[in-house]
Amino acid sequence: MSPSDPHPTPADPQGAAPRVGYVLKMYPRFSETFVVTELLAVEAAGTAVEVFSLRPPADGRFHEALSRVRAPVTYLRHSGLRAADAWGVLAAARPVLPGLDGHLGELLAVDVVDALQAVQLAVAVRERGITHLHAHFGSVATTVARLAARLTGVPYTFTAHAKDIFHDDVEPADLRRKLADAAAVVTVSEFNLAHLRAAYGPAAARVRRVYNGLDLDAFRWSSPASRPDRLVAVGRLVEKKGFEDLLDAVALLAADGRDVALDLVGTGPLEAPLRAQVAALRLQERVHLHGAQPQHRVRELVAGAAAFAAPCVVGADGNRDGLPTVLLEAMALGTPVVGTPVTGIPEVVADGTTGLLVPEHDPAALAVALARFLDDPGLRLRCAVAARALVEREFDARHQAAALRGLFAAPAAQGVPV
Protein backbone atom coordinates (compact mmCIF):
# COMPACT_ATOMS: atom_id res chain seq x y z
CA MET A 1 0.00 0.00 0.00
CA SER A 2 1.12 3.54 -0.63
CA PRO A 3 -0.99 6.03 1.32
CA SER A 4 -0.55 9.58 0.10
CA ASP A 5 -1.08 10.80 3.67
CA PRO A 6 1.21 8.96 6.10
CA HIS A 7 -0.59 10.38 9.10
CA PRO A 8 -4.31 9.72 8.69
CA THR A 9 -6.61 11.11 11.32
CA PRO A 10 -7.51 8.52 13.97
CA ALA A 11 -11.09 7.39 14.16
CA ASP A 12 -13.41 9.02 16.62
CA PRO A 13 -12.65 7.29 19.96
CA GLN A 14 -16.33 7.05 20.84
CA GLY A 15 -17.21 5.57 17.47
CA ALA A 16 -19.77 8.34 16.95
CA ALA A 17 -18.41 9.83 13.75
CA PRO A 18 -18.22 7.62 10.66
CA ARG A 19 -14.92 7.40 8.85
CA VAL A 20 -15.68 6.16 5.37
CA GLY A 21 -13.34 4.32 3.06
CA TYR A 22 -14.28 4.86 -0.58
CA VAL A 23 -13.26 1.87 -2.70
CA LEU A 24 -12.78 2.67 -6.38
CA LYS A 25 -11.38 0.63 -9.23
CA MET A 26 -9.34 3.58 -10.43
CA TYR A 27 -8.91 6.99 -8.87
CA PRO A 28 -8.88 9.55 -10.21
CA ARG A 29 -10.54 8.72 -13.52
CA PHE A 30 -11.00 11.60 -15.95
CA SER A 31 -14.48 10.53 -17.06
CA GLU A 32 -15.86 9.93 -13.54
CA THR A 33 -16.49 13.49 -12.48
CA PHE A 34 -19.47 12.30 -10.42
CA VAL A 35 -17.09 10.58 -8.01
CA VAL A 36 -15.14 13.78 -7.36
CA THR A 37 -18.35 15.78 -6.94
CA GLU A 38 -19.63 13.23 -4.45
CA LEU A 39 -16.39 13.16 -2.47
CA LEU A 40 -16.37 16.95 -2.21
CA ALA A 41 -19.99 17.06 -1.11
CA VAL A 42 -19.56 14.29 1.46
CA GLU A 43 -16.48 15.98 2.87
CA ALA A 44 -18.27 19.34 2.97
CA ALA A 45 -21.04 17.66 4.97
CA GLY A 46 -18.48 16.74 7.62
CA THR A 47 -17.73 13.08 6.89
CA ALA A 48 -14.10 11.94 7.15
CA VAL A 49 -13.15 10.06 4.01
CA GLU A 50 -10.24 8.01 2.73
CA VAL A 51 -9.95 6.72 -0.82
CA PHE A 52 -8.68 3.25 -1.70
CA SER A 53 -7.92 2.72 -5.37
CA LEU A 54 -7.49 -0.74 -6.85
CA ARG A 55 -5.55 0.57 -9.84
CA PRO A 56 -3.30 3.60 -10.40
CA PRO A 57 -4.66 6.32 -12.68
CA ALA A 58 -4.05 5.65 -16.36
CA ASP A 59 -4.65 9.20 -17.56
CA GLY A 60 -2.35 12.15 -16.87
CA ARG A 61 -5.22 14.65 -17.22
CA PHE A 62 -7.10 15.79 -14.14
CA HIS A 63 -9.98 18.14 -13.49
CA GLU A 64 -9.44 21.23 -11.32
CA ALA A 65 -12.02 20.06 -8.80
CA LEU A 66 -9.80 17.12 -7.90
CA SER A 67 -7.38 19.46 -6.14
CA ARG A 68 -10.08 20.30 -3.59
CA VAL A 69 -10.58 16.71 -2.39
CA ARG A 70 -8.88 16.37 0.99
CA ALA A 71 -9.17 12.59 1.38
CA PRO A 72 -5.87 10.71 1.46
CA VAL A 73 -5.50 8.12 -1.29
CA THR A 74 -4.10 4.63 -0.85
CA TYR A 75 -3.25 2.55 -3.89
CA LEU A 76 -3.65 -1.10 -3.00
CA ARG A 77 -0.92 -3.24 -4.52
CA HIS A 78 -2.21 -5.15 -7.53
CA SER A 79 0.61 -5.89 -9.97
CA GLY A 80 3.89 -7.78 -9.79
CA LEU A 81 2.57 -10.00 -7.02
CA ARG A 82 4.47 -13.27 -6.74
CA ALA A 83 3.56 -16.23 -4.59
CA ALA A 84 5.96 -15.05 -1.90
CA ASP A 85 4.25 -11.65 -1.87
CA ALA A 86 0.87 -13.28 -1.44
CA TRP A 87 2.02 -15.31 1.51
CA GLY A 88 3.66 -12.18 2.93
CA VAL A 89 0.42 -10.21 2.73
CA LEU A 90 -1.49 -12.99 4.49
CA ALA A 91 1.17 -13.47 7.18
CA ALA A 92 1.32 -9.77 7.94
CA ALA A 93 -2.47 -9.56 8.14
CA ARG A 94 -3.04 -12.40 10.62
CA PRO A 95 -2.14 -10.41 13.77
CA VAL A 96 -4.45 -7.58 12.65
CA LEU A 97 -7.24 -9.84 11.40
CA PRO A 98 -7.52 -12.72 13.87
CA GLY A 99 -10.52 -14.14 12.00
CA LEU A 100 -8.67 -14.30 8.70
CA ASP A 101 -8.30 -18.10 8.66
CA GLY A 102 -12.06 -18.50 8.85
CA HIS A 103 -12.51 -16.60 5.59
CA LEU A 104 -9.89 -18.38 3.50
CA GLY A 105 -12.59 -20.22 1.58
CA GLU A 106 -14.17 -16.94 0.48
CA LEU A 107 -10.80 -15.49 -0.47
CA LEU A 108 -9.86 -18.55 -2.50
CA ALA A 109 -13.15 -18.29 -4.43
CA VAL A 110 -12.20 -15.01 -6.10
CA ASP A 111 -9.37 -13.76 -8.27
CA VAL A 112 -6.08 -13.79 -6.35
CA VAL A 113 -5.51 -10.06 -6.87
CA ASP A 114 -9.01 -9.23 -5.61
CA ALA A 115 -8.42 -11.43 -2.54
CA LEU A 116 -5.07 -9.87 -1.69
CA GLN A 117 -6.41 -6.35 -2.17
CA ALA A 118 -9.31 -7.20 0.13
CA VAL A 119 -6.85 -8.32 2.79
CA GLN A 120 -4.78 -5.14 2.36
CA LEU A 121 -7.95 -3.07 2.61
CA ALA A 122 -9.12 -4.94 5.70
CA VAL A 123 -5.81 -4.29 7.45
CA ALA A 124 -6.14 -0.58 6.63
CA VAL A 125 -9.71 -0.57 7.97
CA ARG A 126 -8.53 -1.94 11.29
CA GLU A 127 -5.40 0.18 11.59
CA ARG A 128 -7.02 3.47 10.58
CA GLY A 129 -10.37 3.13 12.28
CA ILE A 130 -12.46 3.02 9.12
CA THR A 131 -16.07 2.49 10.18
CA HIS A 132 -17.72 2.01 6.79
CA LEU A 133 -16.78 1.04 3.24
CA HIS A 134 -18.49 2.45 0.18
CA ALA A 135 -17.69 1.26 -3.35
CA HIS A 136 -18.69 2.64 -6.75
CA PHE A 137 -19.93 0.10 -9.30
CA GLY A 138 -21.04 -3.36 -8.28
CA SER A 139 -18.12 -5.05 -10.02
CA VAL A 140 -14.56 -5.46 -8.75
CA ALA A 141 -14.59 -2.52 -6.33
CA THR A 142 -17.57 -4.02 -4.52
CA THR A 143 -15.98 -7.48 -4.62
CA VAL A 144 -13.01 -6.11 -2.69
CA ALA A 145 -15.10 -3.95 -0.36
CA ARG A 146 -17.42 -6.83 0.48
CA LEU A 147 -14.58 -9.19 1.33
CA ALA A 148 -12.84 -6.54 3.44
CA ALA A 149 -16.13 -5.95 5.24
CA ARG A 150 -16.40 -9.69 5.90
CA LEU A 151 -12.89 -9.72 7.34
CA THR A 152 -13.41 -6.74 9.62
CA GLY A 153 -17.08 -6.61 10.50
CA VAL A 154 -17.56 -3.05 9.24
CA PRO A 155 -20.60 -2.54 7.01
CA TYR A 156 -20.34 -1.81 3.32
CA THR A 157 -22.52 -0.07 0.79
CA PHE A 158 -22.11 0.49 -2.91
CA THR A 159 -23.49 2.57 -5.73
CA ALA A 160 -24.80 0.60 -8.70
CA HIS A 161 -24.63 2.58 -11.93
CA ALA A 162 -25.40 0.89 -15.27
CA LYS A 163 -22.66 -1.23 -16.83
CA ASP A 164 -22.39 -3.10 -13.53
CA ILE A 165 -26.12 -3.90 -13.73
CA PHE A 166 -26.99 -4.35 -17.38
CA HIS A 167 -23.88 -5.57 -19.21
CA ASP A 168 -23.85 -9.15 -20.48
CA ASP A 169 -20.76 -9.81 -18.34
CA VAL A 170 -22.66 -9.27 -15.09
CA GLU A 171 -22.95 -12.53 -13.13
CA PRO A 172 -26.41 -12.51 -11.51
CA ALA A 173 -25.37 -14.77 -8.64
CA ASP A 174 -22.45 -12.50 -7.78
CA LEU A 175 -24.53 -9.33 -7.93
CA ARG A 176 -27.31 -10.96 -5.90
CA ARG A 177 -24.83 -11.84 -3.16
CA LYS A 178 -23.45 -8.31 -3.06
CA LEU A 179 -26.93 -6.80 -2.91
CA ALA A 180 -28.00 -9.12 -0.12
CA ASP A 181 -24.89 -8.63 2.00
CA ALA A 182 -24.67 -4.85 1.73
CA ALA A 183 -25.98 -2.66 4.52
CA ALA A 184 -27.56 -0.56 1.77
CA VAL A 185 -27.20 -0.07 -1.96
CA VAL A 186 -27.54 3.16 -3.87
CA THR A 187 -28.53 3.37 -7.49
CA VAL A 188 -28.78 6.43 -9.65
CA SER A 189 -32.23 6.25 -11.22
CA GLU A 190 -35.74 4.99 -10.57
CA PHE A 191 -35.35 2.81 -13.66
CA ASN A 192 -32.35 1.07 -12.12
CA LEU A 193 -34.17 0.68 -8.82
CA ALA A 194 -37.17 -0.96 -10.46
CA HIS A 195 -34.93 -3.25 -12.51
CA LEU A 196 -32.90 -4.41 -9.51
CA ARG A 197 -35.99 -5.10 -7.43
CA ALA A 198 -37.65 -6.99 -10.28
CA ALA A 199 -34.55 -9.01 -11.14
CA TYR A 200 -33.24 -9.73 -7.63
CA GLY A 201 -36.31 -9.68 -5.43
CA PRO A 202 -35.66 -9.74 -1.67
CA ALA A 203 -31.89 -9.45 -2.19
CA ALA A 204 -32.53 -5.93 -3.49
CA ALA A 205 -34.71 -4.88 -0.56
CA ARG A 206 -32.12 -2.40 0.69
CA VAL A 207 -31.56 -0.69 -2.66
CA ARG A 208 -32.63 2.91 -2.77
CA ARG A 209 -32.43 5.61 -5.37
CA VAL A 210 -30.11 8.52 -4.74
CA TYR A 211 -29.53 10.69 -7.78
CA ASN A 212 -26.01 11.81 -8.63
CA GLY A 213 -25.59 15.38 -7.52
CA LEU A 214 -24.10 18.48 -9.07
CA ASP A 215 -22.21 21.38 -7.54
CA LEU A 216 -24.75 23.89 -8.76
CA ASP A 217 -22.48 26.84 -8.03
CA ALA A 218 -20.15 25.50 -10.72
CA PHE A 219 -22.97 25.28 -13.27
CA ARG A 220 -24.52 28.72 -13.55
CA TRP A 221 -27.64 29.03 -15.67
CA SER A 222 -27.75 31.35 -18.66
CA SER A 223 -30.53 31.92 -21.16
CA PRO A 224 -30.25 29.90 -24.40
CA ALA A 225 -32.62 32.19 -26.29
CA SER A 226 -30.00 33.95 -28.41
CA ARG A 227 -27.35 31.28 -28.86
CA PRO A 228 -25.94 30.44 -32.32
CA ASP A 229 -26.92 27.31 -34.25
CA ARG A 230 -24.40 25.05 -32.53
CA LEU A 231 -25.12 21.62 -31.11
CA VAL A 232 -23.03 19.85 -28.51
CA ALA A 233 -22.64 16.29 -27.24
CA VAL A 234 -20.29 14.94 -24.58
CA GLY A 235 -19.36 11.40 -23.64
CA ARG A 236 -17.13 8.42 -24.23
CA LEU A 237 -17.08 7.45 -27.87
CA VAL A 238 -18.75 4.11 -27.31
CA GLU A 239 -21.82 2.45 -28.76
CA LYS A 240 -24.21 3.25 -25.90
CA LYS A 241 -23.84 7.01 -26.46
CA GLY A 242 -25.50 6.80 -29.87
CA PHE A 243 -23.19 9.32 -31.54
CA GLU A 244 -23.45 7.49 -34.84
CA ASP A 245 -27.13 8.46 -34.93
CA LEU A 246 -26.24 12.02 -34.01
CA LEU A 247 -23.89 12.36 -36.97
CA ASP A 248 -26.63 11.06 -39.27
CA ALA A 249 -29.01 13.62 -37.77
CA VAL A 250 -26.54 16.45 -38.38
CA ALA A 251 -26.22 15.28 -41.98
CA LEU A 252 -30.00 15.50 -42.35
CA LEU A 253 -29.99 19.03 -40.92
CA ALA A 254 -27.22 20.01 -43.33
CA ALA A 255 -29.10 18.49 -46.24
CA ASP A 256 -32.05 20.64 -45.23
CA GLY A 257 -29.92 23.71 -45.83
CA ARG A 258 -29.19 24.58 -42.23
CA ASP A 259 -25.92 26.23 -41.22
CA VAL A 260 -25.50 24.05 -38.15
CA ALA A 261 -22.35 22.82 -36.37
CA LEU A 262 -21.69 20.13 -33.78
CA ASP A 263 -19.08 20.05 -31.02
CA LEU A 264 -18.45 16.47 -29.93
CA VAL A 265 -16.35 16.04 -26.78
CA GLY A 266 -14.86 12.73 -25.69
CA THR A 267 -12.56 9.89 -26.56
CA GLY A 268 -13.07 6.19 -26.91
CA PRO A 269 -12.75 3.13 -29.08
CA LEU A 270 -15.20 4.42 -31.71
CA GLU A 271 -13.21 7.54 -32.48
CA ALA A 272 -11.81 6.23 -35.76
CA PRO A 273 -15.18 4.93 -37.04
CA LEU A 274 -16.87 8.21 -36.09
CA ARG A 275 -14.20 10.24 -37.88
CA ALA A 276 -14.70 8.03 -40.91
CA GLN A 277 -18.44 8.63 -40.72
CA VAL A 278 -17.87 12.39 -40.53
CA ALA A 279 -15.79 12.17 -43.70
CA ALA A 280 -18.27 9.92 -45.48
CA LEU A 281 -21.10 12.34 -44.68
CA ARG A 282 -18.94 15.32 -45.74
CA LEU A 283 -19.37 16.96 -42.36
CA GLN A 284 -15.72 17.92 -41.77
CA GLU A 285 -16.57 21.64 -41.76
CA ARG A 286 -19.49 21.18 -39.38
CA VAL A 287 -18.47 18.51 -36.87
CA HIS A 288 -15.59 19.18 -34.50
CA LEU A 289 -14.26 16.26 -32.47
CA HIS A 290 -12.51 17.83 -29.51
CA GLY A 291 -11.27 14.74 -27.70
CA ALA A 292 -11.34 14.77 -23.89
CA GLN A 293 -11.57 18.22 -22.35
CA PRO A 294 -11.30 19.56 -18.78
CA GLN A 295 -14.52 20.43 -17.02
CA HIS A 296 -14.24 24.17 -17.51
CA ARG A 297 -13.88 23.73 -21.28
CA VAL A 298 -16.80 21.30 -21.38
CA ARG A 299 -18.91 23.86 -19.52
CA GLU A 300 -17.95 26.55 -22.05
CA LEU A 301 -18.93 24.40 -25.01
CA VAL A 302 -22.20 23.22 -23.46
CA ALA A 303 -23.18 26.68 -22.24
CA GLY A 304 -22.59 28.11 -25.71
CA ALA A 305 -24.75 25.63 -27.60
CA ALA A 306 -28.35 25.98 -28.70
CA ALA A 307 -29.04 22.33 -27.82
CA PHE A 308 -27.40 19.35 -26.15
CA ALA A 309 -27.86 15.89 -27.65
CA ALA A 310 -27.89 12.68 -25.63
CA PRO A 311 -28.98 10.10 -28.24
CA CYS A 312 -28.25 7.16 -25.92
CA VAL A 313 -28.98 3.59 -27.01
CA VAL A 314 -28.88 0.13 -25.51
CA GLY A 315 -25.70 -1.51 -26.78
CA ALA A 316 -25.56 -4.94 -28.39
CA ASP A 317 -23.88 -6.20 -25.20
CA GLY A 318 -26.66 -4.83 -23.01
CA ASN A 319 -24.56 -1.89 -21.85
CA ARG A 320 -26.33 1.43 -21.46
CA ASP A 321 -26.13 4.67 -19.57
CA GLY A 322 -27.81 5.01 -16.19
CA LEU A 323 -28.47 8.72 -16.15
CA PRO A 324 -25.67 10.67 -17.83
CA THR A 325 -24.20 13.28 -15.49
CA VAL A 326 -23.36 15.56 -18.39
CA LEU A 327 -27.03 15.62 -19.37
CA LEU A 328 -27.82 17.04 -15.93
CA GLU A 329 -24.98 19.51 -16.30
CA ALA A 330 -26.43 20.76 -19.58
CA MET A 331 -29.81 21.21 -17.93
CA ALA A 332 -28.18 23.14 -15.09
CA LEU A 333 -26.37 25.41 -17.55
CA GLY A 334 -29.52 26.35 -19.44
CA THR A 335 -28.84 24.30 -22.57
CA PRO A 336 -32.00 22.55 -23.79
CA VAL A 337 -31.57 18.80 -24.16
CA VAL A 338 -32.72 16.14 -26.57
CA GLY A 339 -32.56 12.60 -25.21
CA THR A 340 -33.87 9.10 -25.75
CA PRO A 341 -36.06 7.03 -23.40
CA VAL A 342 -33.14 4.88 -22.22
CA THR A 343 -32.98 3.89 -18.52
CA GLY A 344 -33.25 7.00 -16.31
CA ILE A 345 -33.29 9.70 -18.98
CA PRO A 346 -37.12 10.08 -19.05
CA GLU A 347 -36.98 10.78 -15.31
CA VAL A 348 -35.42 14.14 -16.12
CA VAL A 349 -36.34 14.79 -19.75
CA ALA A 350 -40.10 15.27 -19.80
CA ASP A 351 -40.94 15.67 -23.47
CA GLY A 352 -41.90 19.24 -24.24
CA THR A 353 -41.35 20.40 -20.68
CA THR A 354 -37.73 19.93 -19.57
CA GLY A 355 -36.44 18.84 -22.98
CA LEU A 356 -37.38 16.70 -25.95
CA LEU A 357 -37.44 12.90 -26.21
CA VAL A 358 -37.00 10.88 -29.39
CA PRO A 359 -36.82 7.11 -29.96
CA GLU A 360 -33.37 5.55 -29.84
CA HIS A 361 -31.76 4.68 -33.19
CA ASP A 362 -33.92 7.24 -35.01
CA PRO A 363 -31.71 9.92 -36.63
CA ALA A 364 -34.66 11.45 -38.50
CA ALA A 365 -36.61 12.04 -35.28
CA LEU A 366 -33.46 13.33 -33.62
CA ALA A 367 -32.93 15.81 -36.45
CA VAL A 368 -36.53 17.03 -36.15
CA ALA A 369 -36.17 17.56 -32.40
CA LEU A 370 -32.88 19.41 -32.75
CA ALA A 371 -34.42 21.57 -35.49
CA ARG A 372 -37.28 22.49 -33.16
CA PHE A 373 -34.81 23.91 -30.67
CA LEU A 374 -32.78 25.64 -33.39
CA ASP A 375 -35.91 27.27 -34.82
CA ASP A 376 -37.72 28.23 -31.65
CA PRO A 377 -35.87 30.38 -29.06
CA GLY A 378 -39.02 30.47 -26.95
CA LEU A 379 -39.13 26.67 -26.70
CA ARG A 380 -35.45 26.62 -25.81
CA LEU A 381 -36.01 29.10 -23.02
CA ARG A 382 -39.11 27.39 -21.60
CA CYS A 383 -37.42 23.99 -21.48
CA ALA A 384 -34.21 25.43 -20.05
CA VAL A 385 -36.03 27.21 -17.23
CA ALA A 386 -37.99 24.08 -16.30
CA ALA A 387 -34.89 21.91 -16.54
CA ARG A 388 -32.89 24.13 -14.19
CA ALA A 389 -35.71 24.09 -11.66
CA LEU A 390 -35.78 20.28 -11.77
CA VAL A 391 -32.02 20.03 -11.32
CA GLU A 392 -32.08 22.41 -8.35
CA ARG A 393 -34.88 20.39 -6.78
CA GLU A 394 -33.53 16.87 -7.33
CA PHE A 395 -29.83 16.95 -8.17
CA ASP A 396 -28.13 19.25 -5.70
CA ALA A 397 -24.96 17.51 -4.46
CA ARG A 398 -25.76 18.67 -0.93
CA HIS A 399 -28.95 16.62 -0.96
CA GLN A 400 -27.01 13.61 -2.27
CA ALA A 401 -24.39 14.00 0.48
CA ALA A 402 -27.07 14.17 3.16
CA ALA A 403 -28.64 10.95 1.90
CA LEU A 404 -25.30 9.16 1.76
CA ARG A 405 -24.30 10.43 5.17
CA GLY A 406 -27.42 8.81 6.59
CA LEU A 407 -26.50 5.50 4.97
CA PHE A 408 -22.92 5.68 6.20
CA ALA A 409 -23.96 6.34 9.79
CA ALA A 410 -26.97 4.09 10.26
CA PRO A 411 -25.42 0.71 9.39
CA ALA A 412 -22.51 1.37 11.76
CA ALA A 413 -24.93 1.45 14.65
CA GLN A 414 -26.74 -1.66 13.47
CA GLY A 415 -23.70 -3.74 12.64
CA VAL A 416 -23.72 -6.58 10.12
CA PRO A 417 -23.10 -10.28 10.44
CA VAL A 418 -19.54 -11.45 9.79
Side-chain angles (χ1 to χ4, degrees), residues 234 238-243 245-246 308-315 319-324 326-327 338-343 345 358-362 366:
V234 182
V238 293
E239 181 189 9
K240 67 179 181 180
K241 297 297 183 182
F243 292 145
D245 298 332
L246 178 57
F308 177 93
C312 300
V313 301
V314 177
N319 197 11
R320 65 199 76 172
D321 264 325
L323 182 50
V326 70
L327 176 69
V338 179
T340 52
V342 171
T343 61
I345 291 176
V358 298
E360 59 178 310
H361 291 306
D362 192 339
L366 180 59

Side-chain angles (χ1 to χ4, degrees), residues 14 59 93 231 346 377:
Q14 304 302 317
D59 195 323
L231 309 172

Side-chain angles (χ1 to χ4, degrees), residues 271-291:
E271 180 170 346
L274 290 172
R275 287 190 181 279
Q277 186 181 355
V278 169
L281 294 171
R282 300 182 184 277
L283 295 175
Q284 296 96 325
E285 300 300 318
R286 298 175 181 272
V287 176
H288 306 276
L289 282 82
H290 293 267

Side-chain angles (χ1 to χ4, degrees), residues 327-372:
L327 176 69
L328 305 174
E329 293 172 351
M331 295 169 72
L333 288 166
T335 303
V337 299
V338 179
T340 52
V342 171
T343 61
I345 291 176
E347 294 169 36
V348 297
V349 182
D351 190 43
T353 302
T354 58
L356 297 175
L357 277 178
V358 298
E360 59 178 310
H361 291 306
D362 192 339
L366 180 59
V368 169
L370 292 169
R372 287 183 64 191

Side-chain angles (χ1 to χ4, degrees), residues 38 134 136 159-161 185-190 193 207-213 323 394-397 399-405 407:
E38 180 177 314
H134 183 72
H136 267 276
T159 298
H161 291 268
V185 178
V186 170
T187 195
V188 299
S189 72
E190 292 288 348
L193 176 63
V207 182
R208 62 200 65 189
R209 188 270 294 159
V210 179
Y211 285 133
N212 282 338
L323 182 50
E394 299 284 355
F395 296 92
D396 189 324
H399 300 162
Q400 177 195 22
L404 292 175
R405 189 174 166 82
L407 297 182

